Amino acid sequence: MSKHFLYSIILLCFFLSCKKTEQTPTPIKGLITKNAMVVSARAEASEIGSDILKKGGNAFDAMCATQLALAVTYPFAGNIGGGGFMVYRKANGDIGSIDFREKAPMAATKDMYLDENGDVIPGKSTLGAMAVGIPGTVAGLFEVHEKLGSLPLEDILKPVIALAYKGTKVTKKQAKTIKKYQPLFLKANKDSIIFDKHWKENDVIKQPALAKTFERILKHGKDEFYKGETAKILAKFIQDNGGIITEEDLAKYEAKWRDPITFSYDDLEIISMGPPASGGICLAQILKMLEPFHLDEYGHNSLKTIQAITEAERRAYADRSFYLGDPDFVNIPIKTLIQENYLSGRMSDFSFEKATLSSAVSHGNIQIIESDETTHFSIVDQFGNAIAVTTTLNGAYGSKLYCSELGFFLNNEMDDFSSKPGEPNMFGLIGAEANKIEPEKRMLSSMTPTIVEKNEKLYMTLGTPGGATIITSVLQTILNVHEFKMTMQEAVNAPRFHHQWLPDEIRMEPNSFDRKLIKQLEALGYSINQKDAPVIGKVDGILVLDDNSYEGGADYRGDDTAVGF
Ligand code: DON
């Protein structure tokens, strides 16, 4: 073999091996369907929703069925004892949103979680009956069904009732969480509850009490929950356990249709939830602050991308803490908060050379005041209607208080109020006057059910649980698809990070980020926390592909599943 020939062979091998590494990896795709899809936290709930669509129901019918099925199969967060938000976009382009967030009872007071020294009483706003806000879910579902649904209520409720009687299989993850929270179930409840048992993977949990509550709701409508037998049992149960919710509180509850927050980012039009959810405004602020940066050039989870996102998040969360609360109680300068001028001003002191300190960032100055454990599911139906729904009990199994007679857990949403200015809640979020406790007020939420349009057509529907990290998880998923050209499933799978102004740290999913990158961030003055957020968000979304089929992104971090046809 001549030397020349040998060199040629070596060169060829080198060239071929380079070619190989340059090849783009095969994209990871979620479920793809032609007509319709439901992505939720549990397979049984997605199946029930998808079956409703197959029967000819629309996304709004499927929304009601999926939410109720989650109350059966995912009591960790699925609920009728909590509340939530839905954003929708109809096939004809009409958009809207509904707020069925919990409210403070009439007897609530600003200082109800403080002791005589003015200190927050640990656990009072998170565990047991005092933590419970007036549940909004049932009112929300009835509003949605009445205004936008198409099937008779019976068709929606029957499969859910059957599921509650038949029972649902315990997953491995569920067995773990039940076990983890059992000591708190014992603390919160006087009597033993169904979830005290030693549940193992594949055991079947039957919930006849919940099935009966659903049957009464089917028979007597919304009033059953807010004025009927269920209301009487519920108010008495809460009071017997030391809470302050009355029958009158329940009777007065109403879900509210609200204007969604809409804004553009590049060629996308984004529709998200307004106050009392902070999600839409914060998402708009962060994306608008990021718009001038070239994230696609910096690269996914690269040093510069993480810096730019972190700094935008820091500033948005500082505004959240000061300005946002229930719009029925406080004036929120929404227009200014999401205006380009205002936001470019907020970012004007940012440099890639050095981290901004949160102590140096406060809320922005706005002079003119103008006249925004959880689960998310996304649905697109065969008619082209899309919904994004996030609902919650707040903490895992809410207040842990379980009404055995009615068959459901009650929320601990009162903790989302600011119990004391400057004092962090269970998500470390700091609040101020705007989110103080007042009778009949809704507590500020981070929920961010979101729909994205491109070229005036539906492009994506998504959302997630995760407390304060909800907003930043939705943000990163949109950016992953739009800037970094990921599939829906890849966008959901990608490692996530989070900054919320205070505490001044970037939380990162552990072992998902390069060590060198972390060192570089630390050298620039960022404090990195890889311990406290093992999982950031559980995003469920649907992406419309070029051929108009749908790709589901179901988060592997939970038992989330996409089902469709
Ligand atoms: O409304 C909120 O922002 C909170 N109650 C959400 C709680 C949550 O996402 C917990 N899930 N991990």
Side-chain angles (χ1 to χ4, degrees):
M1 204 187 294
S2 77
K3 229 176 169 182
H4 183 75
F5 183 66
L6 187 66
Y7 281 148
S8 308
I9 298 265
I10 293 172
L11 259 175
L12 184 70
C13 290
F14 178 67
F15 177 72
L16 287 176
S17 72
C18 284
K19 270 289 245 218
K20 204 166 170 200
T21 51
E22 269 174 22
Q23 266 176 7
T24 36
T26 329
I28 299 163
K29 288 195 176 149
L31 176 74
I32 298 201
T33 64
K34 260 189 116 62
N35 301 298
M37 189 179 289
V38 181
V39 193
S40 84
R42 285 294 299 264
E44 296 96 325
S46 298
E47 272 156 23
I48 282 190
S50 174
D51 286 348
I52 290 282
L53 298 177
K54 259 194 202 148
K55 264 196 213 155
N58 64 18
F60 305 102
D61 300 316
M63 178 268 183
C64 297
T66 307
Q67 172 62 25
L68 294 174
L70 283 168
V72 178
T73 176
Y74 193 56
F76 181 76
N79 67 81
I80 57 170
F85 301 97
M86 175 184 83
V87 172
Y88 70 84
R89 181 188 186 277
K90 286 179 29 180
N92 66 4
D94 288 354
I95 59 167
S97 64
I98 185 163
D99 154 7
F100 47 99
R101 180 71 161 167
E102 298 92 325
K103 279 170 55 175
M106 282 184 287
T109 59
K110 185 167 142 280
D111 298 336
M112 63 191 275
Y113 298 117
L114 305 184
D115 64 16
E116 59 279 10
N117 301 320
D119 295 326
V120 173
I121 303 166
K124 198 169 179 190
S125 66
T126 55
L127 191 74
M130 277 303 282
V132 183
I134 305 158
T137 298
V138 174
L141 298 189
F142 271 87
E143 274 291 323
V144 169
H145 182 253
E146 237 169 78
K147 180 168 165 179
L148 300 159
S150 67
L151 291 182
L153 207 54
E154 199 175 359
D155 291 7
I156 292 167
L157 269 155
K158 279 267 159 81
V160 180
I161 293 170
L163 183 73
Y165 276 124
K166 188 174 131 234
T168 52
K169 254 195 192 165
V170 176
T171 66
K172 194 171 171 184
K173 287 185 175 130
Q174 195 179 13
K176 255 188 164 167
T177 54
I178 291 177
K179 186 159 181 248
K180 177 173 168 193
Y181 289 103
Q182 275 174 343
L184 292 176
F185 297 160
L186 287 176
K187 251 185 156 168
N189 293 280
K190 290 185 193 162
D191 301 317
S192 74
I193 65 168
I194 187 173
F195 295 96
D196 289 336
K197 262 182 66 179
H198 177 56
W199 294 106
K200 301 183 304 301
E201 186 182 359
N202 292 328
D203 282 350
V204 172
I205 306 185
K206 296 184 181 177
Q207 299 182 68
L210 183 56
K212 290 206 167 69
T213 299
F214 288 154
E215 280 171 345
R216 286 196 309 277
I217 291 175
L218 176 58
K219 198 161 168 205
H220 305 293
K222 174 188 139 187
D223 278 356
E224 169 60 28
F225 192 89
Y226 291 98
K227 294 177 180 162
E229 189 189 338
T230 303
K232 287 194 171 56
I233 297 170
L234 186 56
K236 180 168 185 311
F237 173 76
I238 292 173
Q239 288 167 28
D240 285 351
N241 280 281
I244 53 172
I245 290 179
T246 60
E247 281 183 46
E248 200 188 344
D249 279 319
L250 289 165
K252 282 183 85 171
Y253 185 87
E254 275 180 359
K256 290 195 167 178
W257 296 96
R258 306 243 185 222
D259 289 336
I261 300 290
T262 57
F263 61 96
S264 64
Y265 175 77
D266 290 349
D267 60 346
L268 304 179
E269 187 67 24
I270 296 175
I271 306 147
S272 193
M273 193 67 216
S278 61
I281 291 179
C282 287
L283 186 65
Q285 288 196 303
I286 299 170
L287 280 171
K288 284 281 177 207
M289 283 190 257
L290 289 174
E291 210 169 20
F293 296 88
H294 302 283
L295 302 185
D296 54 341
E297 287 167 22
Y298 306 158
H300 175 249
N301 281 354
S302 67
L303 180 66
K304 283 178 86 172
T305 295
I306 294 180
Q307 279 187 273
I309 293 177
T310 297
E311 295 300 344
E313 288 175 354
R314 185 195 309 280
R315 288 156 176 83
Y317 276 83
D319 277 358
R320 176 196 191 278
S321 146
F322 185 77
Y323 286 111
L324 304 192
D326 182 344
D328 298 340
F329 285 71
V330 287
N331 267 329
I332 305 172
I334 298 182
K335 271 197 204 140
T336 312
L337 281 169
I338 64 176
Q339 217 169 48
E340 262 160 53
N341 286 352
Y342 169 73
L343 292 167
S344 59
R346 291 289 277 150
M347 278 301 260
S348 60
D349 58 345
F350 161 63
S351 127
F352 281 113
E353 301 305 308
K354 200 163 154 259
T356 311
L357 292 177
S358 286
S359 52
V361 172
S362 172
H363 58 86
N365 266 327
I366 295 177
Q367 303 297 345
I368 318 136
I369 297 294
E370 305 157 4
S371 348
D372 167 300
E373 276 196 89
T374 309
T375 187
H376 175 86
F377 58 96
S378 292
I379 301 180
V380 180
D381 69 18
Q382 63 279 29
F383 312 109
N385 302 305
I387 60 157
V389 182
T390 315
T391 80
T392 189
L393 288 168
N394 195 23
Y397 305 98
S399 64
K400 317 314 184 247
L401 184 64
Y402 179 83
C403 180
S404 294
E405 197 175 348
L406 299 174
F408 59 89
F409 280 105
L410 287 151
N411 69 80
N412 59 351
E413 221 71 59
M414 290 296 286
D415 188 64
D416 272 347
F417 277 117
S418 171
S419 293
K420 185 181 173 183
E423 200 74 28
N425 73 357
M426 65 188 261
F427 299 109
L429 289 166
I430 312 274
E433 271 301 289
N435 191 32
K436 71 175 181 210
I437 305 172
E438 292 178 74
E440 297 197 72
K441 187 178 181 185
R442 283 154 150 94
M443 53 298 275
L444 183 62
S445 168
S446 298
M447 290 190 267
T448 316
T450 299
I451 291 178
V452 183
E453 290 176 351
K454 192 173 178 173
N455 303 325
E456 293 174 16
K457 292 205 312 224
L458 175 69
Y459 186 49
M460 213 188 298
T461 158
L462 78 164
T464 181
T469 68
I470 290 176
I471 301 161
T472 52
S473 301
V474 168
L475 168 88
Q476 288 167 81
T477 311
I478 295 174
L479 291 175
N480 289 348
V481 171
H482 177 72
E483 297 282 357
F484 307 117
K485 310 294 171 232
M486 293 187 196
T487 67
M488 190 74 231
Q489 191 62 55
E490 288 168 341
V492 165
N493 291 356
R496 292 191 274 264
F497 63 94
H498 169 79
H499 196 291
Q500 61 179 47
W501 177 47
L502 295 172
D504 189 352
E505 61 183 20
I506 305 178
R507 274 184 227 165
M508 286 180 161
E509 289 185 314
N511 311 317
S512 324
F513 290 80
D514 189 41
R515 269 204 217 142
K516 199 172 128 216
L517 173 78
I518 289 171
K519 287 244 146 45
Q520 287 172 321
L521 284 164
E522 283 171 339
L524 287 165
Y526 293 96
S527 156
I528 308 293
N529 176 346
Q530 290 194 87
K531 282 196 324 286
D532 295 333
V535 158
I536 296 185
K538 285 183 199 152
V539 178
D540 284 343
I542 302 172
L543 178 69
V544 183
L545 304 178
D546 288 343
D547 65 356
N548 289 325
S549 59
Y550 302 116
E551 188 207 349
D555 207 320
Y556 76 93
R557 294 163 178 87
D559 292 316
D560 304 43
T561 311
V563 177
F565 55 91

